[in-house]
Amino acid sequence: MHDVAIVGIGMHEFGRHDGVSGMDQGVVAVRRALADAGTQWEDLEFAFGGSKDAGSPDTMVSRLGLTGLQFINVHNGCATGGSALISSYNAIRSGTFEIGIALGFDKHERGAFRVRTRGDNLEWYGESGMALTTQFFGMKINRYMHDYGITQNTLAKVSTKAFRNGALNPMAWRRKPFSEEEVLESTMLSYPLTQYMFCSPGEGGVALVLVRADKAKEYTDSPVYLKSCVVKSRRFGSFEVFSPHLANEFSEGPTVDASKAAFEMAGIGPEEIDIAQLQDTESGAEVMHMAENGFCEHGEQESMIQNGETEIDGKFPVNTDGGCLANGEPIGASGLRQVYENVLQLRGDAGERQVPGDPCTAYTHVYGAPGISGVTILSR
Amino acid sequence: MSQVSVQDTVLTGIPGEPRLIGGKCPDCDNHVFPMQKDCPKCTGDQIEKVELSTKGILWTWTIQGFPPKAPPYIGETDPENFEAYGVGYVELPGEVKVEARLTENDPTRLRVGMEMELTVVPLAIDEEGNEVVTFAFRPTENN
């Protein structure tokens, strides 16, 4: 087994870009990642690319170069970016390849994700008004608040932090801070979650150049190492999005499983992580994912967030680039954005939003339909 | 105007006595909804059709505050006329938790643990002039 290093990162600004295709944004991200690594498209041996709504990633070879490299498209719900990354990671770890790229881009229509339930015997589910991701998030956090005493003000604080961090991030979509009152008084979309507590489907692209660790110094003085990379699907009894029924018995979700496996693989524990990017599709998700990923006990988030511990200058900074809330969610790129941010932070290149104290370890987590989770642990 | 079910293999007994059609695995007693042959618990493939209980306990809930996209939604999507509606999981004891519309859309009148019973709510009028209904749960008088 070989260790794997990230030596180049590239991103196309997240947001809304009229007249710029999702593929255009993916190509920009790739060119920026190659420039960052000081390498060329023709040097790459493989690519794994993901996009949900913006075309087949492998067709970008006609723009970047017909070099004959192995290019595999990845399509895995909200974990599409994470799945492109784990595929790249394994391709190098196994010794098959020395250098390649993981990339993702997307461009979604405005408003909540439209879910197509035709052709899978669930037409009635969509017709009845239940095939909405937003409802799942409302129902999951509502139960969690009931069980663990999380308040709506804490949900608002998660949002205000995200938009404050986003304002410091030139790549972010939402760059205007909001007050807690504005968050709480915005339209109630899915009780107890208001409009400014939800992220929106958006646009953007991210690419990461990966190499076998023993080659890393040929490309950069500041390689970042992938200590673990895990994707897990759900087990019987977990509570997932788009479930017409749930079992009465309970089991932990895929986030808990992916997190445990990732820590085991990296050989460290949650207390050794300096910063984390956690899936914050809405503000309740960030709260629940802090505990599901092992960073606190259920219910402890209330005091942690009220005390500012998850702020950039707090004890445990979470979603330092503004997360999905400030960046939006272009599905193919979203999980890779988290890794991009962690690489910047570990290099000390995060500018105005740089976490103080020279962070050494960083964590990413994505979650999505239909019950899938991806985790990475990075270190300098 | 006569009532028809949004999907009669899922919601039966319309008009009249609504029942949900689920399944029960003969090997492990696991329940599913809607009916499917394959058992996600024991990996068997012999699940048999059963009518699910009409009474249960509210496990969690939310209020759908904006019109869903159409398609797939067939109910009211005009923002002027759209009325928020409740959605929740109702735990049917000994069976399964079912995701369903709720008749109640006021957060102050919903709480985890409430007793609920099965009913229907109207969605749309079809081409033949029938009222299309889907299943919903309402708080019982015991609350």
Side-chain angles (χ1 to χ4, degrees):
Chain A
M1 292 288 186
H2 299 275
D3 288 332
V4 180
I6 299 170
V7 296
I9 59 174
M11 182 168 180
H12 183 281
E13 291 77 357
F14 278 31
R16 288 274 172 215
H17 308 289
D18 291 339
V20 185
S21 73
M23 184 74 73
D24 292 338
Q25 297 176 50
V27 168
V28 167
V30 168
R31 291 193 186 282
R32 287 177 176 169
L34 291 169
D36 184 52
T39 189
Q40 310 285 326
W41 177 254
E42 53 264 37
D43 295 330
L44 300 180
E45 297 172 322
F46 71 86
F48 286 91
S51 165
K52 180 173 177 288
D53 289 340
S56 288
D58 63 318
T59 59
M60 67 167 57
V61 296
S62 66
R63 297 173 57 177
L64 288 161
L66 300 168
T67 63
L69 86 172
Q70 172 192 293
F71 198 128
I72 294 178
N73 295 329
V74 179
H75 191 116
N76 210 8
C78 299
T80 292
S83 300
L85 183 58
I86 193 172
S87 303
S88 302
Y89 172 73
N90 287 330
I92 293 174
R93 198 160 169 254
S94 65
T96 307
F97 296 114
E98 286 183 13
I99 181 168
I101 195 162
L103 64 103
F105 55 86
D106 244 317
K107 188 178 181 89
H108 305 296
E109 66 175 325
R110 285 161 206 273
F113 284 112
R114 185 193 301 272
V115 176
R116 304 192 189 275
T117 53
R118 291 190 75 79
D120 56 5
N121 296 322
L122 284 174
E123 282 93 340
W124 59 273
Y125 187 62
E127 288 169 359
S128 298
M130 294 191 284
L132 287 100
T133 56
T134 42
Q135 290 174 359
F136 163 75
F137 296 121
M139 287 192 283
K140 189 175 176 196
I141 189 62
N142 201 16
R143 175 76 198 195
Y144 197 85
M145 291 163 83
H146 169 269
D147 287 349
Y148 298 110
I150 304 296
T151 61
Q152 217 191 11
N153 178 268
T154 289
L155 302 184
K157 279 196 156 62
V158 171
S159 290
T160 56
K161 169 176 69 71
F163 296 125
R164 252 195 328 277
N165 294 355
L168 302 175
N169 177 4
M171 290 289 178
W173 179 9
R174 314 271 186 206
R175 304 200 57 207
K176 180 180 162 229
F178 288 101
S179 68
E180 283 170 31
E181 291 68 33
E182 285 172 307
V183 172
L184 288 166
E185 284 162 16
S186 63
T187 310
M188 184 64 79
L189 294 187
S190 194
Y191 183 92
L193 299 167
T194 66
Q195 184 177 358
Y196 296 163
M197 293 180 186
F198 273 105
C199 86
S200 305
E203 304 174 18
V206 179
L208 307 170
V209 177
L210 291 90
V211 301
R212 213 170 69 196
D214 60 327
K215 303 277 181 188
K217 294 281 183 182
E218 295 174 19
Y219 297 90
T220 177
D221 295 332
S222 51
V224 169
Y225 299 95
L226 258 169
K227 306 305 282 186
S228 57
C229 195
V230 174
V231 172
K232 290 280 190 186
S233 62
R234 65 199 184 282
R235 286 187 289 130
F236 181 74
S238 67
F239 179 15
E240 309 299 342
V241 61
F242 298 140
S243 301
H245 82 268
L246 299 172
N248 282 357
E249 64 189 81
F250 170 82
S251 78
E252 299 286 8
T255 293
V256 173
D257 293 344
S259 175
K260 282 181 180 159
F263 280 121
E264 194 178 309
M265 197 173 192
I268 62 171
E271 63 289 346
E272 290 167 84
I273 297 292
D274 295 327
I275 54 172
Q277 317 298 330
L278 307 177
Q279 181 86 9
D280 59 334
T281 324
E282 35 73 37
S283 55
E286 179 172 316
V287 172
M288 295 183 285
H289 290 151
M290 286 168 63
E292 290 182 11
N293 283 290
F295 296 113
C296 62
E297 295 298 321
H298 291 298
E300 268 187 295
Q301 305 98 318
E302 179 70 18
S303 62
M304 288 173 76
I305 291 166
Q306 290 291 336
N307 294 337
E309 291 180 26
T310 56
E311 301 281 341
I312 285 172
D313 59 356
K315 275 204 300 208
F316 180 61
V318 174
N319 291 332
T320 47
D321 66 350
C324 291
L325 287 169
N327 287 280
E329 191 183 16
I331 284 182
S334 197
L336 298 175
R337 168 191 53 78
Q338 298 177 323
V339 177
Y340 177 98
E341 170 67 6
N342 277 349
V343 171
L344 279 185
Q345 291 283 351
L346 294 176
R347 287 178 177 176
D349 287 345
E352 282 188 276
R353 64 182 190 285
Q354 178 65 46
V355 168
D358 295 329
C360 289
T361 55
Y363 186 97
T364 72
H365 158 259
V366 289
Y367 168 81
I372 186 165
S373 193
V375 168
T376 70
I377 295 174
L378 305 181
S379 80
R380 280 197 274 144
Chain B
M1 184 164 46
S2 62
Q3 281 188 342
V4 293
S5 168
V6 67
Q7 177 65 51
D8 56 15
T9 55
V10 173
L11 169 65
T12 188
I14 306 299
E17 296 287 319
R19 294 299 295 259
L20 296 177
I21 307 293
K24 182 181 176 185
C25 178
D27 299 322
C28 73
D29 286 347
N30 179 45
H31 285 71
V32 296
F33 173 77
M35 171 59 191
Q36 63 177 46
K37 293 294 278 182
D38 304 307
C39 180
K41 184 175 183 187
C42 75
T43 73
D45 63 354
Q46 297 296 319
I47 286 185
E48 293 158 1
K49 210 179 272 187
V50 290
E51 285 190 353
L52 298 176
S53 171
T54 58
K55 287 195 162 61
I57 302 294
L58 188 60
W59 188 74
T60 189
W61 55 274
T62 186
I63 309 291
Q64 176 63 33
F66 62 94
K69 283 180 176 167
Y73 188 50
I74 61 169
E76 182 62 63
T77 54
D78 176 0
E80 294 295 307
N81 299 321
F82 174 78
E83 235 186 287
Y85 57 86
V87 174
Y89 280 97
V90 176
E91 181 167 349
L92 309 177
E95 296 180 351
V96 69
K97 297 183 198 97
V98 171
E99 186 179 3
R101 295 273 298 248
L102 305 176
T103 56
E104 188 57 70
N105 70 358
D106 177 354
T108 65
R109 296 172 65 166
L110 288 167
R111 61 179 168 76
V112 169
M114 286 179 95
E115 281 186 39
M116 310 291 282
E117 63 190 1
L118 185 64
T119 183
V120 295
V121 290
L123 284 175
I125 307 298
D126 72 11
E127 286 163 4
E128 284 89 52
N130 300 308
E131 183 180 62
V132 182
V133 297
T134 193
F135 56 97
F137 279 83
R138 67 179 167 219
T140 68
E141 288 166 7
N142 298 337
N143 290 294

XYZ file of all heavy atoms in Angstrom, chain A residues 125-156:
255
model
N -45.524 8.811 -4.193
C -44.766 9.470 -3.130
C -44.496 10.935 -3.513
O -44.724 11.857 -2.728
C -43.471 8.694 -2.929
C -42.593 9.090 -1.755
C -43.043 8.985 -0.456
C -41.284 9.531 -1.979
C -42.210 9.315 0.611
C -40.451 9.849 -0.920
C -40.922 9.738 0.371
O -40.092 10.066 1.414
N -44.054 11.117 -4.746
C -43.855 12.475 -5.252
C -45.182 13.192 -5.473
O -45.320 14.370 -5.152
N -46.171 12.470 -6.017
C -47.482 13.084 -6.281
C -48.135 13.567 -4.988
O -48.867 14.541 -4.970
C -48.395 12.064 -6.981
C -47.994 11.809 -8.424
C -48.708 10.623 -9.062
O -49.516 9.964 -8.371
O -48.454 10.351 -10.236
N -47.844 12.862 -3.879
C -48.465 13.202 -2.593
C -47.732 14.323 -1.853
O -48.152 14.723 -0.770
C -48.508 11.958 -1.688
O -49.292 10.947 -2.272
N -46.610 14.788 -2.405
C -45.902 15.917 -1.780
C -44.951 15.509 -0.680
O -44.727 16.269 0.263
N -44.343 14.310 -0.804
C -43.418 13.859 0.236
C -41.993 13.638 -0.259
O -41.107 13.343 0.538
C -43.954 12.592 0.901
C -45.238 12.867 1.680
S -45.763 11.509 2.730
C -46.430 10.383 1.519
N -41.764 13.774 -1.571
C -40.415 13.523 -2.098
C -39.593 14.814 -2.081
O -39.206 15.349 -3.117
C -40.492 12.937 -3.507
N -39.350 15.341 -0.891
C -38.545 16.566 -0.752
C -37.462 16.349 0.293
O -37.760 15.966 1.432
C -39.420 17.749 -0.334
C -40.343 18.308 -1.432
C -41.749 17.805 -1.261
C -40.293 19.826 -1.443
N -36.226 16.641 -0.091
C -35.122 16.499 0.867
C -35.334 17.409 2.077
O -34.987 17.068 3.196
C -33.780 16.887 0.211
O -33.899 18.206 -0.308
C -33.406 15.929 -0.899
N -35.906 18.595 1.820
C -36.101 19.585 2.884
C -36.945 19.046 4.037
O -36.732 19.393 5.195
C -36.756 20.840 2.280
O -37.774 20.408 1.364
C -35.741 21.675 1.540
N -37.933 18.199 3.700
C -38.785 17.629 4.758
C -37.976 16.700 5.662
O -38.148 16.695 6.878
C -39.938 16.828 4.139
C -40.953 17.693 3.449
C -41.995 16.857 2.716
O -41.948 15.622 2.711
N -42.928 17.523 2.073
N -37.128 15.896 5.053
C -36.288 14.992 5.850
C -35.460 15.787 6.851
O -35.385 15.446 8.037
C -35.377 14.173 4.929
C -34.220 13.519 5.653
C -34.422 12.402 6.439
C -32.942 14.049 5.543
C -33.353 11.815 7.115
C -31.879 13.464 6.210
C -32.082 12.349 6.998
N -34.829 16.874 6.373
C -33.972 17.649 7.271
C -34.797 18.266 8.403
O -34.367 18.266 9.557
C -33.223 18.733 6.481
C -32.269 18.150 5.473
C -32.390 18.434 4.120
C -31.253 17.293 5.881
C -31.514 17.874 3.194
C -30.370 16.739 4.957
C -30.503 17.031 3.616
N -35.991 18.769 8.063
C -36.863 19.323 9.098
C -37.259 18.266 10.118
O -37.234 18.509 11.332
N -37.600 17.092 9.638
C -38.060 16.032 10.553
C -36.920 15.480 11.398
O -37.098 15.150 12.564
C -38.733 14.913 9.771
C -40.103 15.332 9.243
S -41.083 13.946 8.621
C -40.320 13.652 7.051
N -35.719 15.383 10.806
C -34.608 14.806 11.574
C -34.193 15.756 12.698
O -34.020 15.339 13.848
C -33.421 14.493 10.654
C -32.345 13.696 11.386
C -31.182 13.256 10.498
C -30.123 12.555 11.360
N -28.827 12.431 10.690
N -34.064 17.055 12.385
C -33.627 17.979 13.441
C -34.747 18.218 14.454
O -34.486 18.420 15.640
C -33.078 19.307 12.855
C -32.420 20.161 13.952
C -34.157 20.114 12.166
C -31.226 19.552 14.637
N -36.001 18.145 14.008
C -37.108 18.351 14.957
C -37.088 17.256 16.028
O -37.211 17.529 17.226
C -38.436 18.340 14.198
C -39.548 19.041 14.978
O -39.303 19.783 15.928
N -40.786 18.788 14.580
N -36.902 16.022 15.600
C -36.803 14.916 16.563
C -35.556 15.082 17.446
O -35.584 14.838 18.651
C -36.742 13.574 15.803
C -36.532 12.360 16.660
C -37.797 11.945 17.393
N -37.482 11.072 18.504
C -38.382 10.324 19.154
N -39.655 10.351 18.811
N -38.019 9.570 20.161
N -34.448 15.497 16.828
C -33.182 15.642 17.560
C -33.304 16.732 18.634
O -32.815 16.582 19.755
C -32.067 15.995 16.565
C -30.668 15.786 17.099
C -30.057 14.538 17.029
C -29.957 16.839 17.659
C -28.767 14.343 17.501
C -28.667 16.654 18.139
C -28.073 15.399 18.052
O -26.798 15.213 18.526
N -33.962 17.833 18.283
C -34.178 18.913 19.256
C -35.027 18.416 20.422
O -34.775 18.766 21.581
C -34.849 20.105 18.565
C -33.931 20.810 17.578
S -34.811 21.891 16.422
C -34.989 23.368 17.415
N -36.023 17.609 20.097
C -36.879 17.018 21.133
C -36.066 16.104 22.050
O -36.205 16.138 23.269
C -38.010 16.234 20.447
C -38.826 15.369 21.354
N -38.516 14.042 21.596
C -39.923 15.643 22.089
C -39.394 13.546 22.443
N -40.265 14.481 22.761
N -35.173 15.316 21.472
C -34.404 14.341 22.259
C -33.255 14.970 23.044
O -32.924 14.501 24.129
C -33.809 13.260 21.342
C -34.864 12.285 20.834
O -36.001 12.313 21.352
O -34.551 11.513 19.901
N -32.613 16.006 22.483
C -31.348 16.472 23.064
C -31.342 17.954 23.447
O -30.284 18.497 23.797
C -30.185 16.172 22.108
C -30.019 14.693 21.860
C -30.333 14.132 20.630
C -29.578 13.846 22.878
C -30.193 12.766 20.409
C -29.444 12.475 22.666
C -29.752 11.946 21.426
O -29.621 10.600 21.210
N -32.480 18.618 23.347
C -32.564 19.981 23.864
C -31.794 21.022 23.072
O -31.318 22.010 23.628
N -31.646 20.823 21.771
C -31.043 21.858 20.921
C -32.114 22.936 20.669
O -33.267 22.615 20.397
C -30.570 21.263 19.571
C -29.607 20.103 19.787
C -29.976 22.345 18.670
C -28.300 20.453 20.445
N -31.704 24.222 20.744
C -32.681 25.300 20.558
C -32.634 25.867 19.142
O -31.630 25.710 18.431
C -32.395 26.460 21.534
O -31.083 26.964 21.245
C -32.456 25.982 22.981
N -33.704 26.561 18.778
C -33.749 27.161 17.446
C -32.723 28.287 17.325
O -32.190 28.533 16.243
C -35.163 27.657 17.134
C -35.484 27.421 15.677
C -36.741 28.113 15.228
O -37.299 28.951 15.931
N -37.185 27.764 14.040
N -32.421 28.938 18.425
C -31.391 29.984 18.386
C -30.021 29.405 17.994
O -29.232 30.046 17.295
C -31.309 30.694 19.749
C -30.209 31.745 19.750
O -29.070 31.470 20.118
N -30.544 32.950 19.271
N -29.756 28.185 18.454
C -28.494 27.528 18.070
C -28.472 27.255 16.569
O -27.435 27.420 15.912
C -28.305 26.252 18.906
O -27.998 26.656 20.242
C -27.182 25.369 18.376
N -29.627 26.858 16.016
C -29.701 26.663 14.560
C -29.398 27.984 13.842
O -28.701 28.009 12.822
C -31.080 26.150 14.147
C -31.552 24.830 14.767
C -32.896 24.418 14.162
C -30.530 23.718 14.541
N -29.913 29.074 14.376
C -29.668 30.388 13.761
C -28.186 30.753 13.852
O -27.612 31.310 12.905
C -30.523 31.452 14.441
